[in-house]
Amino acid sequence: MIFATAAPAAAVDEDFRIWENVTAIAKLGSIDPSLKKWRLWLESQGRFRNDGATADQALGRAGVGYALTDNASLWLGYAHIATFPQDAKTQHENRIWQQVLLTDKATFGDLTSRTRLEQRFIQNVNPVEWRLRQFVRFSYPLWENAPLSIVLWDEVFVRLNSTTPATRFGFDQNRGFAGLGYSFSEKARVEIGYMNQLIQSRVVSRRAQTFDHRINHILSVSMFLNL
């Protein structure tokens, strides 16, 4: 028999990073009334490592959504991610994604839930990786009708299959954010704050499994546009 025993986790690597994000969601009914339930998602991200001094990743994401109700929508889209390793060629990833987006305005604040399924076509990685992401966001104005609000959110990533080389199914990473949001209008807001990113890698051998961890301390700056 082959037994797997847990080995002590390796030392945690840490880094300070900067992530920049612009996301626009457009209601297509402004173009044609017959499209009033359809939405367009456009997103661009730049990520920088080594205390923000080195380009780490560039991400572009686009999708089409359909509003089931005022508070629920279904989405289908595509993303491309370029990763810039140190002393290596740029690695490219093509990604197909589907998601359910739910929003609610409660007396205690605004709530958002996003459940996203991804199929990741990563260069030199086989087979296609399936990943589930669950995102929950809470915001609350600092005073009645204030443009400034407290923003808290968390997102858990879980791999649904194993890939080669050496990526195992199970918990992938967690991102937690705390910061402030400022609404310039109903159509534009910015959020800035601290994001903690915990990434776990699991490698299984014949008699043991080891876990490598990375914690990134991230200054996150995001602009959101509702068009």
Side-chain angles (χ1 to χ4, degrees):
M1 295 180 60
I2 298 175
F3 297 92
T5 58
V12 177
D13 292 326
E14 298 189 48
D15 188 24
F16 172 75
R17 302 189 173 194
I18 298 173
W19 286 16
E20 301 170 350
N21 171 53
V22 178
T23 299
I25 298 178
K27 296 181 179 180
L28 300 184
S30 59
I31 300 173
D32 186 333
S34 66
L35 300 175
K36 66 179 182 179
K37 289 186 175 292
W38 292 92
R39 309 285 187 265
L40 181 64
W41 183 301
L42 297 172
E43 180 179 350
S44 177
Q45 291 191 32
R47 301 173 179 176
F48 303 86
R49 65 178 183 272
N50 297 335
D51 297 329
T54 306
D56 183 48
Q57 288 183 317
L59 181 150
R61 181 181 284 116
V64 176
Y66 183 82
L68 301 174
T69 68
D70 290 341
N71 299 321
S73 56
L74 300 176
W75 294 82
L76 172 66
Y78 165 80
H80 180 266
I81 298 89
T83 301
F84 312 111
Q86 185 174 350
D87 301 325
K89 293 183 178 180
T90 301
Q91 183 179 48
H92 295 277
E93 175 186 345
N94 295 292
R95 188 181 299 176
I96 300 171
W97 57 275
Q98 307 84 36
Q99 70 181 23
V100 178
L101 185 63
L102 305 174
T103 61
D104 186 29
K105 288 185 176 293
T107 56
F108 54 85
D110 293 345
L111 297 173
T112 301
S113 171
R114 184 182 70 208
T115 303
R116 179 179 290 171
L117 182 65
E118 299 175 325
Q119 297 84 55
R120 306 177 65 197
F121 299 80
I122 307 171
Q123 187 176 358
N124 300 322
V125 173
N126 291 293
V128 175
E129 180 185 294
W130 289 69
R131 187 168 69 176
L132 181 66
R133 302 169 54 166
Q134 180 59 54
F135 171 92
V136 178
R137 178 184 179 275
F138 168 79
S139 66
Y140 189 81
L142 292 183
W143 62 88
E144 187 175 0
N145 298 321
L148 194 64
S149 59
I150 297 171
V151 179
L152 303 171
W153 60 255
D154 191 79
E155 187 171 19
V156 180
F157 297 62
V158 179
R159 296 188 190 96
L160 302 182
N161 65 321
S162 299
T163 59
T164 303
T167 299
R168 304 291 294 182
F169 70 91
F171 174 77
D172 175 28
Q173 63 176 281
N174 187 85
R175 299 176 187 175
F177 173 88
L180 294 174
Y182 185 87
S183 296
F184 298 96
S185 67
E186 292 184 354
K187 295 186 176 182
R189 79 176 189 275
V190 65
E191 295 179 2
I192 183 170
Y194 168 74
M195 183 198 306
N196 181 280
Q197 182 188 32
L198 169 64
I199 303 173
Q200 174 179 278
S201 301
R202 179 162 69 111
V203 179
V204 178
S205 64
R206 288 180 58 85
R207 295 187 177 276
Q209 62 178 340
T210 59
F211 294 87
D212 294 327
H213 295 87
R214 164 173 287 280
I215 295 178
N216 293 322
H217 305 281
I218 299 167
L219 172 62
S220 174
V221 181
S222 299
M223 170 69 77
F224 298 94
L225 304 174
N226 293 307
L227 307 176

